Amino acid sequence: FQHYYITNNLSWSYRDSRMPNTKDIPDYYQMGPGTLKIPNALFKDNRKRICDRLVSKNVPRGAVMLFEGGIQEQQYDTDRDIEFQQESYFMWLFGVMEADFYGAVDVDNCESILFMPRLPASYAVWMGELKTPEYFKTRYGVDRVHYSDEIVTILNQLRPSALLIMDGTNSDSKSHFQAPSFEGMDQFKVDTTTLYNEIADCRVQKSPGEMEIMRYVNEVSCEAHKEVMKMMKPGRMEYEGEATFKHYAYMKGGMRFVGYTCICASGQNAAVLHYGHAAEPNDKRVNNGDMLLYDMGAEYAGYTADITASFPANGRFTESQKFVYNTCLKANRAVLAAMRPGVSWPDMHRLAEKTIVEEFIKEGLLVNGTVEEMTEAYMGAIFMPHGLGHLIGLDVHDVGGYVNAPPRIQEPGIKYLRTTRNLEEGMVITVEPGVYFGDALIEAAYANPDQAKYMNKEKIEPYRGTGGVRIEDGVAVTADGTELLSHNIPRTVEEIEEFMNRSN
């Protein structure tokens, strides 16, 4: 009904509600008391970063960047609004939470302009007060605010030498970015080739303000994971952990959204890398003896965490569970110890695989060869069939992974790596080695003579059906190493057992 009345602009007896004085309008984002306050200066700094970058690349004087924010959409053919979340590039530049805005930035002087939708009077009845351009000017700390039906008029006043607009393809989703459009756009010289990769690359290095947000989402997400570890036990449903995580993150952290579909896997489901989707909706009952793999990250102002905790449902590891878990943890910690600016991310992936293969040889699951020979046969990819980790920020798989980077490596396992770049100070990236016993890959390896000769079937078979383990951390790259953002969560076998049994 909201969409129907607004779009049809039905007349109402309506008196404009009083707008607060500008001194009462917040110049920051904050969900509530005790949640993180994000000043408008963070987004102003982001705008300056891209302007400075473009000037350094000799973009013609007089160029203006133009962006279209996210639009409010309805579900299929209904009038049910899909819960709105801002488009990530627009969020990075302006911090605007509302739908249907445009934004412009003058490259020469970094002047910022927002174009707000001109809403009908009926909006106030169904959706809340009609805010003015003066309100949004203060709320988002921009230089000017006009209505979106004034874009052509304002741009003609600016007389841009070129309109720089976003046009490119996301290297993770392979989806094409929808370039902005408006009536009268054909009056201007449009440049679609300059902006996309430049701004994507800007987003790779987080500013100090952005790093504070990343610390916050990781802190709250760690605490939410611990709440899950406290309450999960045999007999519960997988989705109860998802509900607990979301409840804590929203109630304590003001985090209305999670950054991706929650993966709440128990037992053999933990070998399904992206479990939790509509066909597998975290709906299995947890059994005594199951390992749980919970991959969840809360989101604040668009920035998200991505953390995976693996732990035994009953609070006690079996010996075989200890082996798998400690193998994964050893790979995780080996990578953390080696990370620093200049290090190749593919080399870190190979280090994680090598560590897993070494532990499998020690335990006798892999035999009849050296680590080097097994690496050439891609044995590590059988048990860790995904990339080591990905950039993270305003998107869980953040942009820029293949901007100014070597091409994707077309080999098993590592071909799923979401960046091949060398590490740089200011990057935030996940470290998420996994050890899984997935039937499809194990059967394929048994059928491949080049791999089967290393597989000790007698040792491997008892692990079939047990699922797997993933240990995922959010890590910031610093000048001389790393900062572990997801530090406040039990990680060793001893820490997990002590925490779960004390909690229960």
Side-chain angles (χ1 to χ4, degrees):
F1 291 120
Q2 298 167 357
H3 177 66
Y4 174 79
Y5 279 102
I6 292 169
T7 55
N8 287 280
N9 196 15
L10 299 188
S11 60
W12 295 89
S13 174
Y14 169 73
R15 184 188 307 170
D16 191 11
S17 56
R18 291 180 299 168
M19 292 298 298
N21 295 325
T22 54
K23 67 179 182 180
D24 299 322
I25 301 171
D27 59 354
Y28 55 85
Y29 172 82
Q30 186 179 33
M31 272 297 284
T35 63
L36 184 67
K37 184 182 289 188
I38 302 173
N40 289 334
L42 183 147
F43 305 104
K44 184 177 181 179
D45 177 62
N46 287 345
R47 294 193 293 271
K48 187 175 187 307
R49 288 166 62 193
I50 185 60
C51 285
D52 290 347
R53 185 185 184 96
L54 292 174
V55 169
S56 73
K57 298 292 181 73
N58 297 315
V59 168
R61 290 189 60 80
V64 171
M65 295 180 281
L66 182 74
F67 304 90
E68 183 177 4
I71 61 175
Q72 178 62 66
E73 296 182 313
Q74 282 68 48
Q75 184 167 302
Y76 305 120
D77 64 341
T78 74
D79 62 358
R80 175 186 171 185
D81 283 347
I82 296 172
E83 200 163 14
F84 179 75
Q85 290 183 268
Q86 187 57 267
E87 191 279 316
S88 296
Y89 285 103
F90 202 81
M91 187 69 194
W92 187 82
L93 286 156
F94 299 104
V96 170
M97 296 293 174
E98 293 85 356
D100 304 318
F101 273 65
Y102 286 80
V105 181
D106 189 317
V107 174
D108 291 344
N109 57 24
C110 222
E111 181 187 28
S112 54
I113 306 171
L114 283 175
F115 297 96
M116 60 183 284
R118 194 185 294 272
L119 299 169
S122 56
Y123 182 96
V125 177
W126 293 94
M127 306 297 281
E129 69 179 0
L130 286 165
K131 297 190 170 65
T132 65
E134 290 74 22
Y135 172 89
F136 286 116
K137 182 176 183 293
T138 300
R139 170 63 188 85
Y140 293 119
V142 293
D143 296 300
R144 289 197 275 163
V145 179
H146 300 280
Y147 288 101
S148 54
D149 55 19
E150 300 174 307
I151 288 179
V152 172
T153 300
I154 301 304
L155 289 179
N156 275 323
Q157 292 172 7
L158 293 175
R159 301 177 66 183
S161 62
L163 279 184
L164 309 182
I165 66 171
M166 298 279 288
D167 193 353
T169 300
N170 186 296
S171 61
D172 277 310
S173 68
K174 305 299 187 292
S175 295
H176 191 79
F177 188 90
Q178 184 63 50
S181 62
F182 58 89
E183 189 174 346
M185 190 172 177
D186 57 358
Q187 300 176 30
F188 305 95
K189 179 183 177 182
V190 175
D191 177 339
T192 62
T193 62
T194 299
L195 192 54
Y196 187 84
N197 281 346
E198 297 298 341
I199 196 168
D201 201 33
C202 262
R203 281 177 55 184
V204 171
Q205 291 84 25
K206 304 299 185 282
S207 69
E210 289 180 294
M211 205 64 81
E212 282 302 308
I213 305 174
M214 295 305 295
R215 292 187 184 101
Y216 180 65
V217 294
N218 276 273
E219 176 187 342
V220 173
S221 296
C222 281
E223 293 301 322
H225 269 287
K226 285 157 71 174
E227 290 299 307
V228 174
M229 294 174 71
K230 288 178 184 177
M231 58 78 61
M232 287 304 294
K233 55 177 65 71
R236 289 196 180 274
M237 300 298 291
E238 292 169 330
Y239 61 74
E240 293 183 71
E242 177 181 4
T244 298
F245 182 92
K246 290 178 174 177
H247 171 72
Y248 183 93
Y250 200 177
M251 184 178 71
K252 296 295 187 181
M255 299 180 185
R256 190 176 192 182
F257 299 105
V258 288
Y260 52 95
T261 302
C262 293
I263 299 169
C264 303
S266 65
Q268 63 185 7
N269 292 338
V272 180
L273 302 183
H274 283 174
Y275 182 75
H277 54 86
E280 300 281 359
N282 299 327
D283 61 348
K284 173 183 169 293
R285 189 174 298 281
V286 175
N287 296 318
N288 191 31
D290 278 350
M291 279 292 292
L292 305 183
L293 186 158
Y294 274 53
D295 184 341
M296 301 179 285
E299 179 182 296
Y300 190 77
Y303 290 83
T304 186
D306 185 358
I307 299 170
T308 306
S310 298
F311 53 95
N314 61 17
R316 294 291 181 190
F317 287 85
T318 65
E319 290 305 309
S320 61
Q321 288 171 346
K322 284 182 184 178
F323 163 69
V324 177
Y325 188 88
N326 283 331
T327 295
C328 190
L329 183 63
K330 190 168 185 177
N332 175 284
R333 293 308 189 238
V335 170
L336 289 179
M339 288 174 65
R340 62 183 57 82
V343 168
S344 159
W345 192 237
D347 285 352
M348 294 297 93
H349 177 97
R350 293 187 178 97
L351 173 60
E353 276 195 349
K354 178 174 179 286
T355 303
I356 292 167
V357 169
E358 286 174 341
E359 295 303 303
F360 272 42
I361 291 172
K362 290 178 186 176
E363 193 69 13
L365 278 74
L366 297 178
V367 294
N368 302 326
T370 65
V371 172
E372 291 71 26
E373 290 169 335
M374 294 182 190
T375 298
E376 289 179 8
Y378 305 116
M379 300 305 294
I382 299 168
F383 303 100
M384 192 181 92
H386 57 72
L388 173 65
H390 50 83
L391 298 168
I392 186 169
L394 277 169
D395 293 303
V396 65
H397 298 151
D398 215 9
V399 295
Y402 283 92
V403 176
N404 301 322
R408 192 180 293 271
I409 301 167
Q410 297 301 328
E411 297 175 6
I414 201 169
K415 68 182 178 181
Y416 298 111
L417 205 58
R418 297 181 189 273
T419 183
T420 53
R421 294 175 67 147
N422 289 346
L423 297 178
E424 301 170 28
E425 182 181 0
M427 284 181 170
V428 179
I429 197 163
T430 65
V431 175
E432 50 178 304
V435 179
Y436 315 90
F437 294 88
D439 287 340
L441 293 177
I442 290 175
E443 288 297 334
Y446 285 158
N448 180 351
D450 292 334
Q451 293 181 322
K453 62 185 179 182
Y454 301 121
M455 304 274 284
N456 185 344
K457 200 168 185 178
E458 183 180 350
K459 286 277 193 175
I460 290 172
E461 283 301 298
Y463 289 93
R464 299 276 295 272
T466 62
V469 165
R470 182 161 63 249
I471 301 173
E472 180 177 16
D473 286 305
V475 182
V477 182
T478 63
D480 56 359
T482 61
E483 176 187 350
L484 181 59
L485 301 178
S486 52
H487 63 91
N488 193 25
I489 188 169
R491 281 305 194 200
T492 67
V493 165
E494 294 74 21
E495 289 169 349
I496 292 169
E497 289 187 341
E498 193 277 333
F499 178 81
M500 292 186 69
N501 287 283
R502 172 165 47 86
S503 299
N504 292 329

